[in-house]
């Protein structure tokens, strides 16, 4: 039998899970706003758990690959006892993320942003009302779609064995040929036939998919809609922003008089933003939530984010505290680190684009490219291939967050929730956690398809490659690479946009009179 358990893999899994939770606790402490310290404990728990489950889901892909190595290649898959029940783990993690996205994170976010004048029960009930409406709409949509089109259509080929009824005239059959009179074969009458007789017929077998698989497919489509836009922008802007941050870094410390002058200007603009926010609050109380009001609110959020950036820049060029020289040294080292990360991000972005073109869009593929790289790294040392594989998957999540911030700040398409060290409110945390959870589902599918040679015969391949990619009504999106093509188009447009604007950030508004109320 195939009892080939790898107990070391179980230990690695437990250690990696604990490390994810500890790392996300540090991320929460490092990024949280000072006003949220020692309060908002429930949102903090949701943030840590949401980030951890999203990271674990991405790490499960290389774990699935390693789990296949528990049995040698000469053992039949059905006779192998794998180290971990990956299929059950995949379904469990996906259902948890679905509940987090559709229920837990929205309730927490609505509760956190509810009117502070409401009581605890009032804020909870207000949050539940919003989420109940969302659940009703999503539940009806997925339920009706599952009832109508919740089938997996498998294309199959029907063949016929070489045996034919006695007395059949074999003359003219494409799979038979005349070999002369054969005395020992009176039935065949001098004809010899292939094992397959007749033309191969193509058929379609329709099987009802399981409901969890259909839920995963629907959530994956929603995640793809965000992934192809945000990651398409972020795959260009992420390395560009890191490199430009180094290019535009402060070269020296400013004097005290310059600091006072710049701090006074920031204070003046902060007062203007405060007046604008009061005006918007009065208009909201009067029921004037028009389209112009919403646009002014987006512009206010944009300017608040930019003002916080200016304040951070000012604190860098005029370090204060007990050891200002040491703080300046850390600032310089931080910008050089961004340069290194920017170069690495540029290489990873180029590798992703080349891999998509050479392996996913060309039929037949020109080269397995990154698949061969991961296999070669695994041959040298198993953690090299697994680590590189995880790096490419996590990089897409980073691109999503970069694209979200760029689109929100530059085009005012939505309220941007940027994450900044010591300046991230819990609403921003919760929004980005929901975004990461939703996009991580599509990232896993994207990586499973892009690296199917490396991830061959894994359980996630059975979920995506065998079932979801053949779901009725959705299969065309994957077989024709619709999402991937749109991703490349958006990446190309983003590159043109960055080259034209030279990566400049959004223009800063200076005067209150510039805004139309």
């Amino acid at each position: 039998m195939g009892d080939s358990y790898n107990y070391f893999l179980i230990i690695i899994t437990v250690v990696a899970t604990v490390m994810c939770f500890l790392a996300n606790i540090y991320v929460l402490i490092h990024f949280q706003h000072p006003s949220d310290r020692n309060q908002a404990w429930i949102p903090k728990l949701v943030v840590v758990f949401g980030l951890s489950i999203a990271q674990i889901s991405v790490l499960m892909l290389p774990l699935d690959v390693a789990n296949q190595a528990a049995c040698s290649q000469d053992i039949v898959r059905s006779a192998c006892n794998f180290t971990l029940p990956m299929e059950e783990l995949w379904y469990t993690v996906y259902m948890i993320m679905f509940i987090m996205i559709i229920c837990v994170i929205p309730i927490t976010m609505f509760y956190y942003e509810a009117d502070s004048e409401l009581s605890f029960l009032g804020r909870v009930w207000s949050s539940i009302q919003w989420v109940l409406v969302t659940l009703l709409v999503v539940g009806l949509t997925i339920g009706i779609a599952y009832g109508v089109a919740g089938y997996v259509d498998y294309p199959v080929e029907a063949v016929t064995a070489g045996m034919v009824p006695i007395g059949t005239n074999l003359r003219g059959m494409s799979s038979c040929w005349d070999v002369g009179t054969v005395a020992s074969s009176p039935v065949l009458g001098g004809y010899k036939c292939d094992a397959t007789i007749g033309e191969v017929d193509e058929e379609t077998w329709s099987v009802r998919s399981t409901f969890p698989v259909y839920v995963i497919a629907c959530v994956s489509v929603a995640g793809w809609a965000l992934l192809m836009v945000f990651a398409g922008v972020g795959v260009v802007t992420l390395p560009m922003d890191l490199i430009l941050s180094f290019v535009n870094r402060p070269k020296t410390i400013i004097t005290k008089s310059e600091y006072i002058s710049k701090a006074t200007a920031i204070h003046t603009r902060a007062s203007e933003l405060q007046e604008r926010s009061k005006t918007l609050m009065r208009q909201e109380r009067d029921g004037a939530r028009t389209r112009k009001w919403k646009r002014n609110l987006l512009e206010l959020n944009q300017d608040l984010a930019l003002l916080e950036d200016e304040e951070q820049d000012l604190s860098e060029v005029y370090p204060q505290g007990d050891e200002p020289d040491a703080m300046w040294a850390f600032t310089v080292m931080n910008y050089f680190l961004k340069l290194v990360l920017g170069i690495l991000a540029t290489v990873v972005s180029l590798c992703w684009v080349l891999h998509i073109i050479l392996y996913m869009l060309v039929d037949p593929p020109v080269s397995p490219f990154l698949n061969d790289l991961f296999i070669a790294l695994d041959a040298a040392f198993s953690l090299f291939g697994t680590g590189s594989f995880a790096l490419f998957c996590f990089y897409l999540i980073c691109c999503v967050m970069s694209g979200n911030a760029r689109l929100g700040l530059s085009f005012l398409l939505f309220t941007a929730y940027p994450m900044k060290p010591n300046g991230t409110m819990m609403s921003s945390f919760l929004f980005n956690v929901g975004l990461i959870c939703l996009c991580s589902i599509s990232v896993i599918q994207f990586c499973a398809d892009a690296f199917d040679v490396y991830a061959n015969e894994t359980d996630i391949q059975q979920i995506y490659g065998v079932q979801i990619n053949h779901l009725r009504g959705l299969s065309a999106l994957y077989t024709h690479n619709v999402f991937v093509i749109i991703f490349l188009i958006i990446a190309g447009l983003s590159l043109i946009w960055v080259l034209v604007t030279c990566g400049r950030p959004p223009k800063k508004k200076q005067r209150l009179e510039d805004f139309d109320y």
Side-chain angles (χ1 to χ4, degrees):
M1 295 297 290
D3 294 328
S4 304
Y5 291 101
N6 185 351
Y7 294 102
F8 180 71
L9 187 61
I10 299 177
I11 297 174
I12 290 294
T13 303
V14 174
V15 172
T17 301
V18 173
M19 289 182 64
C20 282
F21 278 95
L22 293 178
N24 290 318
I25 292 174
Y26 171 77
V27 169
L28 176 67
I29 296 173
H30 181 65
F31 280 88
Q32 71 175 349
H33 197 278
S35 61
D36 280 331
R37 287 176 181 158
N38 301 320
Q39 61 178 345
W41 294 109
I42 294 179
K44 290 177 181 178
L45 290 175
V46 173
V47 166
V48 172
F49 183 78
L51 285 175
S52 300
I53 200 68
Q55 293 169 356
I56 290 171
S57 68
V58 176
L59 289 175
M60 281 177 62
L61 195 49
L63 177 65
D64 201 350
V65 175
N67 192 55
Q68 298 301 309
C71 292
S72 61
Q73 296 182 355
D74 58 347
I75 297 178
V76 180
R77 180 183 176 91
S78 60
C80 180
N81 293 323
F82 292 104
T83 301
L84 297 170
M86 290 305 303
E87 184 175 2
E88 290 78 7
L89 289 176
W90 277 118
Y91 286 134
T92 301
V93 169
Y94 273 133
M95 290 299 104
I96 291 175
M97 283 202 293
F98 177 73
I99 295 173
M100 291 287 295
I101 293 168
I102 203 68
C103 185
V104 177
I105 292 177
I107 287 179
T108 309
M109 195 168 180
F110 285 130
Y111 174 83
Y112 181 81
E113 294 186 337
D115 191 348
S116 59
E117 296 181 358
L118 295 175
S119 63
F120 171 77
L121 294 178
R123 298 173 72 178
V124 171
W125 175 239
S126 175
S127 305
I128 293 176
Q129 284 180 314
W130 282 101
V131 174
L132 284 177
V133 174
T134 305
L135 286 175
L136 180 62
V137 174
V138 174
L140 287 175
T141 302
I142 295 179
I144 293 173
Y146 178 72
V148 174
Y151 294 90
V152 182
D153 295 327
Y154 296 109
V156 295
E157 294 181 348
V159 296
T160 307
M163 299 181 64
V164 295
I166 297 176
T168 301
N169 183 12
L170 302 177
R171 185 185 300 274
M173 295 187 68
S174 60
S175 57
C176 301
W177 62 92
D178 190 357
V179 295
T181 302
V182 182
S184 61
S185 302
V187 175
L188 293 180
Y191 286 89
K192 187 176 181 180
C193 303
D194 286 337
T196 303
I197 295 180
E199 299 296 332
V200 177
D201 297 326
E202 294 185 358
E203 300 178 0
T204 300
W205 287 358
S206 297
V207 181
R208 169 70 74 173
S209 69
T210 61
F211 188 70
V213 169
Y214 200 78
V215 170
I216 293 172
C218 293
V219 176
S220 178
V221 171
W224 263 111
L226 298 176
L227 179 66
M228 65 184 183
V229 176
F230 292 152
V233 174
V235 77
V236 176
T237 60
L238 178 57
M240 182 64 69
D241 287 344
L242 289 171
I243 294 175
L244 287 179
S245 179
F246 172 79
V247 173
N248 299 324
R249 71 190 186 282
K251 304 300 191 300
T252 183
I253 299 176
I254 63 175
T255 62
K256 185 175 182 179
S257 59
E258 291 175 323
Y259 170 79
I260 295 174
S261 175
K262 293 180 181 295
T264 302
I266 291 177
H267 175 73
T268 301
R269 297 205 11 235
S271 300
E272 294 177 353
L273 294 179
Q274 185 178 20
E275 292 298 323
R276 286 167 55 192
S277 64
K278 291 180 180 179
T279 302
L280 291 175
M281 292 175 62
R282 286 195 300 267
Q283 292 177 349
E284 183 181 17
R285 286 194 295 267
D286 295 339
R289 298 189 61 170
T290 61
R291 182 176 299 178
K292 182 186 297 184
W293 182 90
K294 294 180 180 178
R295 180 169 182 82
N296 287 331
L297 179 61
L298 290 176
E299 290 179 341
L300 177 62
N301 291 330
Q302 177 198 40
D303 281 0
L304 283 173
L306 294 174
L307 188 64
E308 290 177 357
D309 288 341
E310 290 187 9
E311 183 182 6
Q312 178 65 28
D313 294 341
L314 183 60
S315 64
E316 288 182 350
V317 296
Y318 191 78
Q320 303 179 53
D322 296 334
E323 298 181 354
D325 293 336
M327 294 180 62
W328 174 249
F330 280 115
T331 299
V332 174
M333 293 172 58
N334 179 56
Y335 279 104
F336 277 96
L337 177 61
K338 288 183 177 180
L339 174 63
V340 174
L341 293 177
I343 295 173
L344 178 61
T346 302
V347 174
V348 176
S349 291
L350 290 175
C351 287
W352 256 118
V353 173
L354 285 176
H355 182 78
I356 292 171
I357 296 173
L358 296 177
Y359 184 71
M360 301 186 70
L361 296 186
V362 179
D363 190 20
V366 176
S367 169
F369 197 41
L370 292 177
N371 288 287
D372 288 345
L373 174 64
F374 298 149
I375 294 173
L377 291 174
D378 267 341
F381 184 65
S382 59
L383 289 181
F384 288 165
T386 303
S388 300
F389 183 54
L391 170 65
F392 275 83
C393 296
F394 272 119
Y395 183 74
L396 289 180
I397 296 294
C398 296
C399 291
V400 167
M401 298 184 67
S402 175
N404 166 52
R406 264 305 184 108
L407 288 177
L409 292 177
S410 298
F411 296 110
L412 298 177
L413 299 178
F414 50 87
T415 302
Y417 290 88
M419 292 180 60
K420 301 175 182 178
N422 300 318
T424 306
M425 303 298 293
M426 292 310 302
S427 56
S428 298
F429 258 125
L430 292 168
F431 176 85
N432 284 285
V433 169
L435 183 68
I436 291 172
C437 287
L438 185 58
C439 290
S440 63
I441 297 176
S442 301
V443 166
I444 294 169
Q445 183 182 11
F446 191 12
C447 293
D449 290 338
F451 308 131
D452 55 356
V453 175
Y454 180 71
N456 187 32
E457 295 185 355
T458 55
D459 286 288
I460 195 62
Q461 277 286 341
Q462 298 297 318
I463 296 174
Y464 281 121
V466 177
Q467 298 185 58
I468 292 181
N469 286 356
H470 292 93
L471 277 175
R472 185 177 300 177
L474 300 178
S475 60
L477 296 174
Y478 304 119
T479 56
H480 297 294
N481 292 316
V482 174
F483 293 128
V484 178
I485 293 173
I486 296 177
F487 168 82
L488 287 180
I489 292 174
I490 294 176
L493 295 176
S494 301
L495 179 60
I496 297 173
W497 168 52
V498 168
L499 293 176
V500 170
T501 61
C502 297
R504 290 191 300 271
K507 295 292 184 182
K508 299 178 175 62
K509 304 292 193 300
Q510 297 290 341
R511 295 172 56 82
L512 181 65
E513 292 81 4
D514 293 339
F515 296 90
D516 181 17
Y517 289 95

